[in-house]
Amino acid sequence: MATSAADGDASAQFRLGSDLLRQGHREEAKRRLVPLAEAGHLDAVRELAWSASRLAHTDARYEAEAEHWLRREAQVRQDPDWLVTMAQEMRCWASGRATEAEDLVAGMARAGSARAASQLGYWKRRDGDLVTAVEWYRLAIELEHRFAWRDLGSCLATLGRYAEAEALYRERAEAGDAVAQHELAALLHAQGKGPAVRTPRPPGH
């Protein structure tokens, strides 16, 4: 019964803290939420982390608080890869911490995080550095990221490295992957080596 009472009290404190946060009473909300978050209450950690991070987008004074609670969220989730999410937020913060975020994720990738390697590939691709994106996507594939091969193939095709892209797609297409089969057909058509690829219509159209 004591455990149930404690759980009920925690839920009540969380609801009250969340309501106060939404009403703009941040310091009063923190008095309710911080003890829960320090005790490992995931929802309380998330409220503190994401409310601080939103504020940090325009006010650098909240960055340290946001980083603290986002790191705490990774701990409570028992998911080190959650720090990639923190790095994504850091790039949006007011002081402009893109280099620090990239260094953090690069370290994670080199330590064996497939998600981190794929994220670096995405950032480099978005920034127009396709050659570096290719290297990160290759690492992500080595680390068994499920979808990095498609991004790698797209980068290779954009770079005009069609033979590499074709080999990448063909290996998976011949293993029965329908997405790879579609990408291979589209790549061949773009080179004048095959028919146009039709995108299936949604049911009812």
Side-chain angles (χ1 to χ4, degrees), residues 96-174:
R97 295 171 64 180
T99 300
E100 184 182 347
E102 188 170 312
D103 288 345
L104 169 64
V105 177
M108 294 172 63
R110 295 187 183 104
S113 169
R115 181 184 173 190
S118 180
Q119 184 64 52
L120 282 161
Y122 170 76
W123 282 339
K124 292 300 182 182
R125 182 182 179 186
R126 189 179 65 180
D127 293 343
D129 186 356
L130 296 182
V131 173
T132 305
V134 163
E135 298 309 311
W136 285 118
Y137 281 135
R138 287 197 189 282
L139 177 58
I141 291 170
E142 290 176 15
L143 296 172
E144 301 184 349
H145 191 281
R146 289 181 60 193
F147 306 112
W149 65 268
R150 190 173 184 181
D151 295 312
L152 173 59
S154 178
C155 287
L156 290 169
T158 302
L159 288 166
R161 294 160 63 174
Y162 300 119
E164 293 176 70
E166 181 177 338
L168 179 72
Y169 293 149
R170 191 174 295 280
E171 178 183 358
R172 288 164 176 78
E174 292 177 350

